[in-house]
Amino acid sequence: MKKIIIVSLLTFVLSQMLYAAEPQKENKLTGTWKLIKAVTNGKPNPQIVMDRDWTFYPNNTFAGKVYINGAEKPFNSGIFFLPNDTTMITLHYAPDKKLYKLAYTYNFHIQNDSLHFYGVYFNRVSSEPTMLQMMYIDEWWIKQSSLPQK
């Protein structure tokens, strides 16, 4: 039964990806966003990961960066699909540049230059590498072009 559920879920995700596989036209999501507020599992994110930006490209790729003590570091990257105006499916790249075998579905809403991004992702449990822990995120971003220039 468990295998049937997993196969059904993977089939659904793959069908959504194939449906949305054409590169998206330039949309409101395209561009660079600066994180202004983030909560994970109901708790504010640690300050060390709050200085982040996230860039979405017209070719359906994204790259996130975090700045720690002024040094830029990669945060995440991958490909994304928009099956509709408020749903995003992401697949992230592993350090070896191959895609992880797990897709994430998020909700997002854009109003003017603000992005509200929320949903669930899974994180490996360090003490049990075969287990995944569900993490609920609720993030607010502002379009980089809306920020005052330094």
Side-chain angles (χ1 to χ4, degrees), residues 68-125:
I68 299 174
N69 298 326
E72 177 183 302
K73 299 182 184 282
F75 190 77
N76 61 16
S77 64
I79 58 177
F80 71 95
F81 306 95
L82 303 175
N84 59 47
D85 290 341
T86 61
T87 305
M88 180 191 311
I89 299 171
T90 65
L91 290 117
H92 293 245
Y93 288 117
D96 64 3
K97 302 296 182 201
K98 293 181 182 176
L99 288 171
Y100 283 114
K101 295 177 183 172
L102 186 61
Y104 302 108
T105 302
Y106 298 102
N107 299 299
F108 72 97
H109 298 280
I110 296 174
Q111 185 172 33
N112 299 321
D113 286 335
S114 295
L115 166 65
H116 183 203
F117 184 78
Y118 55 99
V120 173
Y121 73 95
F122 294 91
N123 208 13
R124 291 203 187 282
V125 177

Side-chain angles (χ1 to χ4, degrees), residues 57-76:
Y57 301 97
N59 67 351
N60 289 50
T61 61
F62 67 88
K65 298 175 189 161
V66 63
Y67 302 88
I68 299 174
N69 298 326
E72 177 183 302
K73 299 182 184 282
F75 190 77
N76 61 16

Side-chain angles (χ1 to χ4, degrees), residues 5 7 11 23 27 30 37 52 61 63 69 83-84 96 98 110-111 116 118 134 144-145 149:
I5 292 172
V7 169
T11 302
N27 59 57
T30 301
K37 180 181 176 185
R52 288 177 24 212
T61 61
N69 298 326
N84 59 47
D96 64 3
K98 293 181 182 176
I110 296 174
Q111 185 172 33
H116 183 203
Y118 55 99
M134 186 171 76
Q144 196 78 21
S145 60
Q149 299 300 315

Side-chain angles (χ1 to χ4, degrees), residues 8-72:
S8 297
L9 181 61
L10 286 173
T11 302
F12 170 75
V13 169
L14 288 173
S15 67
Q16 290 296 312
M17 289 170 36
L18 290 173
Y19 172 77
E22 293 181 24
Q24 303 294 319
K25 297 177 196 164
E26 181 102 8
N27 59 57
K28 291 181 180 181
L29 189 60
T30 301
T32 300
W33 299 83
K34 176 82 176 149
L35 183 65
I36 57 172
K37 180 181 176 185
V39 175
T40 302
N41 291 338
K43 296 179 183 173
N45 282 11
Q47 191 60 41
I48 196 162
V49 294
M50 288 299 296
D51 190 6
R52 288 177 24 212
D53 62 40
W54 207 9
T55 302
F56 293 91
Y57 301 97
N59 67 351
N60 289 50
T61 61
F62 67 88
K65 298 175 189 161
V66 63
Y67 302 88
I68 299 174
N69 298 326
E72 177 183 302

